[in-house]
Amino acid sequence: MDIDVASDLLKRTLELAFIITSPVLAGVFIIGITIAIFQAATQINEMTLTFVPKLLLALVIMFLLSNWFLIEITDFTREIWLQIPELVR
């Protein structure tokens, strides 16, 4: 396996990681901005007010999209396993 194949494999792995984590990160970002605006408007500075909703939303998104996560990771792993004979040459 030469450097081009390894860099392509690393690039595809990082792309998949970005695609899988982006829904969770986007949801947490949106709720974080919403809570920050609420805190600025009401001058309530409680740390648990920001942490708990973000944690709950991240868990809900991961639960709802877990089937899709598993399908994407399984397809990628299957594709890599099928390419192993070509990568060894």
Side-chain angles (χ1 to χ4, degrees), residues 12-27:
R12 291 189 310 156
T13 304
L14 292 175
E15 285 174 354
L16 180 64
F18 176 74
I19 289 169
I20 287 176
T21 58
S22 60
V24 177
L25 293 174

Side-chain angles (χ1 to χ4, degrees), residues 35-81:
I35 293 172
I37 291 170
F38 173 75
Q39 283 183 325
T42 60
Q43 295 182 351
I44 299 173
N45 291 324
E46 180 64 33
M47 290 302 295
T48 56
L49 186 62
T50 60
F51 180 72
V52 173
K54 285 192 242 179
L55 178 65
L56 292 176
L57 181 68
L59 291 173
V60 167
I61 291 173
M62 286 191 291
F63 177 73
L64 293 176
L65 296 179
S66 61
N67 191 31
W68 176 70
F69 291 163
L70 187 60
I71 290 170
E72 290 293 320
I73 292 171
T74 305
D75 289 346
F76 180 73
T77 305
R78 186 175 295 122
E79 179 183 334
I80 296 302
W81 275 99

Side-chain angles (χ1 to χ4, degrees), residues 28-40:
V28 170
F29 176 75
I30 290 170
I31 199 154
I33 293 294
T34 305
I35 293 172
I37 291 170
F38 173 75
Q39 283 183 325

